[in-house]
Amino acid sequence: MSDYAPSTEFADQAVGKAGLFDEAAADHEAFWAARAHEYVTWSKDFDTTLDWSDAPFAQWFVGGELNVAYNCVDRHVDAGNGDRVALHFVAASGEGRSISYADLQREVAKAANALESLGVAKGDRVAVYMPMIPEAVVTMLACARIGAPHSVVFGGFSAEALKARIEDGEAKVVVTSDGQFRKGKAMPLKTAVDKAVPGTTAEKVLVVQRTGIDVDWDDSRDVWWHDAVDGASEEHEAQPHGSEHPLFILYTSGTTGKPKGILHTTGGYLTQCAYTNSVVHDVHPESDVYWCTADIGWVTGHSYIVYGPLANGATQVLYEGTPDSPHQGIFWEIVEKYKVSILYTAPTAVRTFMKWGREIPDKYDLSSIRVLGSVGEPINPEAWRWYRDVIGGGSAPIVDTWWQTETGAIMNSPLPGVTALEPGSSQRAIPGIHAEILDDEGQPLTEPEQVGYLVLTKPWPSMLRGIWGDPERYKETYWSRFGPKYYFAGDGAKYDEDGNIWILGRVDDVMNISGHRLSTAEIESALVSHKQVAEAAVVGASDETTGQAAVAFVILREHGESADAQGDELVTELRNHVGQEIGPIAKPRSIMVVDELPKTRSGKIMRRLLKDVAENREVGDVSTLADSSVMSQIKDGIDKPSSD
Ligand code: WT7
């Protein structure tokens, strides 16, 4: 039994009530139609709630038309809330600037006009490669306004990774900044764009001057934001777009070396983002200050910084910096200063704060906090309790939200005013969502503690509509394992005896590092693209802080030289090479140079055995190996794993 039932005070004021479960159970489509009308302003009402006749290609709110930017900005001004702060922007330096909904309306209109003057029209793709600055949010909303799908690429990805995404999405314009602040220093950003763009479809590069560092400039291609946007007209008419018009593409890692461009569309996505932000985060737009610490380069930033909270007219903090700079108390300084009442962050951050010690947050007044959220990976019960006690004053409900880039919005989570919390579990599907756990044969599990696969059994409004340019991969990846109507999430899961769902991590070759998704295959192909590497195998090993960490095993090309002779220098070079090919977040924690990799007789690398080594476990069953001595060779060779 849970010790964490909601207090009556909290339950009384909560947006999401228990009745939502009954309403959703009574009629799935009617429930979502009601949410679509409650949370979204439609220029033209829809006539069909769900068309699932072409499964797995869903259409939601068919016939409806809306403009997402109008919903996230203009309608709040029209309702008389133009003076409400939309964004408390906190720069990396700690300096703050508040942007009202009326300000945001002007900025989005100007940016939309500027993008159009650069040739962007409805349907064109715009790549966004920017730090966490207001212009990034403005750019996304301006694209939504025009109906030009954005493709945001995390600023930590390399030029190569950016190029691949520009090419795959055939972006017409790239929006970036000269540089970005990292731990007090101005670092280049546009240089990666300069490397990525040549030879692609991108015709123009729009550049925000953020740091003032020197940049190379191509007059025929590059345009300063302050030249194009600042003088543009503040009037821009928001045209309605069809409910199924593409809103954005966001790349995420799959089980192959090629990232998947996850496609999201307009009406269903906005409905579920706004609804979940309202009932799960319990946002009261008139009084709350909400802060989601994600980067806009990930889906959490899309759904819970840009679209959900702004559709709800919330006031939020947008923070440019990192948790450790200018000092380790910066998060709590921000919470105190802006009286943040809802904080949504990742378990890896919580574990880092734990490691730094409670003396740091204890120095600040965190009494404004009333809801805490967790996202991206399972939160271990110890971190959960620390989060609740130290940050949540021992009383704030924690909403542990399970979802994915593909699901677009929160799927499993407690409702903070209804659910008795269970630390470490994201508990149940929220009202309107249907999740089950299936065994290998596709039969639903009925007993607690049996391990199976998490599936979603009914379509939901913010579901992905496909993989950009690859409908076959879409069907194969998500709808074939238990298909054709059950969505396979790729996560292992079990029930406890109270019926709570526990997510046990990925069952495919996808790793979750600090809540960021990376594929073993992507890092392997980065490694083998180095001239000295003949073969590589990457596994996700458990890590105390980051959840998982990438551990690589490589075989070198020059068999003449022994691994030791190449030593640390080569390992450093290989790590940097991965940083260049993908981005610093993909650098393996350690790289072990080995003579052989464990393979089955058919040549498949047995990652399970490598995982045992990487996690310092007794190596499991080696009977299917082609050469059973390989594992002992590897173990002998890597008693001192190299890392930095
Ligand atoms: C994978 C999705 C959700 C947006 C950020 C990550 C894992 C996510 C939880 C949670 C346990 C979680 C799953 C999922 N995951 N949230 N609350 N508890 N696991 O999005 O990069 O698409 O990764 O993150 O393994 O499949 P993503």
Side-chain angles (χ1 to χ4, degrees), residues 313-358:
T315 293
Q316 54 181 326
V317 168
L318 181 75
Y319 176 48
E320 184 185 23
T322 50
D324 55 351
S325 173
H327 57 83
Q328 293 177 340
I330 183 67
F331 266 39
W332 320 119
E333 190 180 304
I334 293 172
V335 167
E336 179 181 279
K337 178 161 175 199
Y338 294 96
K339 301 198 165 29
V340 170
S341 52
I342 305 169
L343 178 70
Y344 191 33
T345 195
T348 183
V350 175
R351 290 192 294 266
T352 303
F353 297 136
M354 259 174 93
K355 212 161 58 185
W356 290 344
R358 70 171 294 160

Side-chain angles (χ1 to χ4, degrees), residues 300 375-378 400-405 491 506 512 517:
T300 309
V375 59
E377 54 174 315
D400 177 354
T401 60
W402 176 87
W403 57 294
Q404 310 178 299
T405 306
D491 279 317
R506 305 287 309 190
N512 189 326
R517 201 205 287 198

Side-chain angles (χ1 to χ4, degrees), residues 43-94:
S43 314
K44 179 171 169 283
D45 199 4
F46 49 90
D47 30 61
T48 307
T49 300
L50 168 65
D51 182 349
W52 190 225
S53 58
D54 189 24
F57 297 92
Q59 295 195 60
W60 280 90
F61 310 126
V62 188
E65 292 181 3
L66 69 156
N67 187 286
V68 167
Y70 171 81
N71 271 274
C72 290
V73 186
D74 306 63
R75 67 167 168 163
H76 307 310
V77 179
D78 291 352
N81 295 320
D83 291 339
R84 183 184 293 165
V85 173
L87 301 171
H88 287 295
F89 172 59
V90 183
S93 61

Side-chain angles (χ1 to χ4, degrees), residues 120-132:
V120 175
K122 180 169 178 172
D124 289 338
R125 273 81 61 203
V126 175
V128 179
Y129 186 64
M130 297 174 87
M132 288 287 290

Side-chain angles (χ1 to χ4, degrees), residues 252 260 262 264 404-408 462-464 478 487 517:
T252 189
K260 303 176 281 195
I262 302 300
H264 283 288
Q404 310 178 299
T405 306
E406 291 88 341
T407 70
S462 66
M463 66 197 287
L464 76 166
Y478 305 106
Y487 171 89
R517 201 205 287 198

